[in-house]
Amino acid sequence: MRFTKLIWCFMFLVRLGFLTEAILDPVDFLALQAIRKSLDDLPGSNFFQSWDFTSDPCGFAGVYCDADKVTTLNLGDPRAGSPGLSGRINPAIGKLSSLIELTIVPGRIMGALPATLSQLKDLRFLAISRNFISGEIPASIGEVRRLRTLDLSYNQLTGTISPSIGSLPELLSLILCHNHLTGSIPPFLSQTLTRIDLKRNSLTGSVSPTSLPPSLQYLSLAWNQLTGPVDRVLLRLNQLNYLDLSLNRFTGTIPGRIFAFPITNLHLQRNFFYGLIQPANQVTISTVDLSYNRLSGGISPLLSSVENLYLNSNRFTGEVPASFVEKLLAASIQTLYLQHNFLTGIQISPAAEIPVSSSLCLQYNCMVPPLQTPCPLKAGPQKTRPSTQCNEWRG
């Protein structure tokens, strides 16, 4: 009875204007207290100095409110190089029912992601990178249907990427690189997804042609154990401006049509691709890196429009097209690495002068390089591939 009278008194004072500032919802207040008890400043950090619960929590560092609810929680000093926080993420974080944004700066946060994150139905931005989060990514995160950015990179996460994450309808950016994730890549249903970064995990299996939406602009699957024909990966991706599929086990041919896309950076190094680079329409691409694969066949003149081209450590054969020489001498090509292939010739004068801004490496092919140019140290000291290897490959 007494509590009811206090509530009516409070509402009366609010209507009269005596209380102009909203008081934080008690549920949010208690959730912030629990979160604070589970975390500490690392030495050199004073992020929690302002977290005095005798004052209004909406004035705490990293806490932003709308009326009586917490809508944004940025834990830790956001300045680059700050020490960060230690401890664990308290499950009470799921009580912040109006939370839209949750970030934790790099530090030493350990333990698993609480399953209660699935209760944050309005959450749009979740970024907890460069900590020591372990365990699996809760499949229940797929219940946060309004989530647009999920960044859990540079942690120690294990397990698979749940299909429920791939089903998020509004997902724009998925960054899970530098973890220990296994299993296959699930289908992604969002038609607004522009960035996927899954490099340096232990993902396996093939990538279905329908798994990746055509809206993708940035795709990095490097340093995994993915297999299957590479053309299946690239089938619908006509808006890419960055592609890195290096250090996997893809096979098949590189379809020429991928170079008709407006790609600005392409990395496919250290894979197990087989096949030809086929001709297509001329394009201008800043960087193409197909090094350390098992690509074979002739080099398409199409690629002479690339400013920085890395085709080294493959099984390309035949002569280097004349268009490459023309573009190189005109300084249109800045980097042309063709070392460690089975190329048999290049039409360039021994007296030709390579522009200072350009680099050419031809060593360890089935020819004597017509001119000596500086090569990277990894190219080794041998100038020409042994004739026995050339004969075997030709046969």
Side-chain angles (χ1 to χ4, degrees):
M1 185 69 179
R2 184 179 178 184
F3 179 76
T4 304
K5 288 182 177 181
L6 288 173
I7 292 294
W8 279 106
C9 182
F10 172 78
M11 294 176 64
F12 177 74
L13 291 173
V14 169
R15 289 193 175 188
L16 290 180
F18 290 109
L19 297 176
T20 57
E21 294 185 4
I23 296 178
L24 187 65
D25 186 306
V27 175
D28 285 26
F29 185 91
L30 293 174
L32 289 177
Q33 280 190 323
I35 292 167
R36 172 64 185 93
K37 289 178 182 178
S38 299
L39 298 172
D40 289 297
D41 283 304
L42 285 172
S45 172
N46 58 358
F47 172 76
F48 282 122
Q49 189 174 21
S50 66
W51 282 48
D52 179 2
F53 285 92
T54 61
S55 60
D56 180 13
C58 292
F60 291 177
V63 178
Y64 302 89
C65 304
D66 183 7
D68 64 339
K69 302 294 289 183
V70 176
T71 56
T72 298
L73 187 59
N74 303 136
L75 295 172
D77 189 338
R79 291 176 295 184
S82 61
L85 308 175
S86 64
R88 297 173 181 269
I89 304 173
N90 196 291
I93 204 163
K95 298 294 185 181
L96 301 175
S97 58
S98 296
L99 203 61
I100 296 174
E101 178 179 322
L102 171 60
T103 66
I104 301 179
V105 301
R108 298 191 65 83
I109 306 296
M110 300 184 179
L113 291 170
T116 53
L117 288 172
S118 63
Q119 299 172 16
L120 305 176
K121 302 303 182 184
D122 290 328
L123 193 66
R124 292 174 175 81
F125 190 93
L126 174 59
I128 308 174
S129 64
R130 296 182 185 273
N131 277 278
F132 292 84
I133 304 296
S134 57
E136 298 188 3
I137 302 173
S140 56
I141 285 184
E143 299 172 16
V144 187
R145 306 301 286 173
R146 304 185 71 179
L147 192 63
R148 296 179 180 176
T149 296
L150 177 60
D151 182 357
L152 302 174
S153 57
Y154 293 89
N155 280 291
Q156 297 179 1
L157 294 166
T158 56
T160 62
I161 303 172
S162 172
S164 64
I165 294 176
S167 70
L168 290 168
E170 298 183 21
L171 194 62
L172 295 174
S173 181
L174 178 67
I175 308 174
L176 302 177
C177 59
H178 290 263
N179 279 287
H180 307 293
L181 299 172
T182 55
S184 60
I185 296 175
F188 292 96
L189 304 183
S190 171
Q191 295 304 305
T192 57
L193 185 59
T194 59
R195 181 185 182 98
I196 293 180
D197 191 346
L198 304 177
K199 65 177 174 285
R200 287 186 177 267
N201 279 286
S202 298
L203 300 170
T204 56
S206 60
V207 182
S208 168
T210 58
S211 292
L212 305 175
S215 56
L216 274 181
Q217 299 175 18
Y218 181 107
L219 175 63
S220 179
L221 304 178
W223 289 79
N224 281 286
Q225 301 167 31
L226 298 167
T227 57
V230 69
D231 59 348
R232 289 166 59 89
V233 181
L234 305 173
L235 187 61
R236 303 193 303 163
L237 307 183
N238 57 4
Q239 298 185 44
L240 285 174
N241 53 50
Y242 183 92
L243 176 64
D244 186 352
L245 303 179
S246 60
L247 289 123
N248 279 285
R249 297 174 184 174
F250 291 111
T251 58
T253 61
I254 306 293
R257 62 181 179 274
I258 72 169
F259 297 108
F261 300 166
I263 297 176
T264 56
N265 293 278
L266 176 62
H267 300 270
L268 302 175
Q269 64 181 27
R270 286 188 185 271
N271 277 296
F272 295 91
F273 293 100
Y274 295 86
L276 310 179
I277 292 184
Q278 301 168 358
N281 297 323
Q282 284 286 332
V283 292
T284 299
I285 304 172
S286 66
T287 301
V288 170
D289 191 341
L290 303 174
S291 57
Y292 293 97
N293 282 290
R294 294 184 180 181
L295 298 169
S296 59
I299 297 175
S300 169
L302 163 74
L303 295 176
S304 64
S305 62
V306 177
E307 293 179 2
N308 298 284
L309 181 61
Y310 303 88
L311 299 180
N312 50 292
S313 302
N314 278 286
R315 296 179 177 179
F316 290 113
T317 56
E319 291 200 359
V320 179
S323 56
F324 282 90
V325 177
E326 296 171 5
K327 297 288 184 67
L328 182 69
L329 296 179
S332 298
I333 295 179
Q334 297 179 0
T335 307
L336 182 57
Y337 280 180
L338 302 175
Q339 68 272 20
H340 287 259
N341 278 287
F342 292 82
L343 299 170
T344 54
I346 181 172
Q347 298 300 317
I348 187 170
S349 170
E353 293 188 6
I354 306 298
V356 177
S357 61
S358 300
S359 299
L360 171 66
C361 185
L362 295 170
Q363 68 187 50
Y364 209 72
N365 276 284
C366 297
M367 63 177 174
V368 177
L371 70 170
Q372 300 301 315
T373 55
C375 287
L377 291 176
K378 289 184 178 179
Q382 292 178 284
K383 301 299 181 184
T384 304
R385 184 180 289 275
S387 58
T388 52
Q389 293 185 11
C390 295
N391 292 334
E392 288 177 5
W393 188 248
R394 190 177 296 114

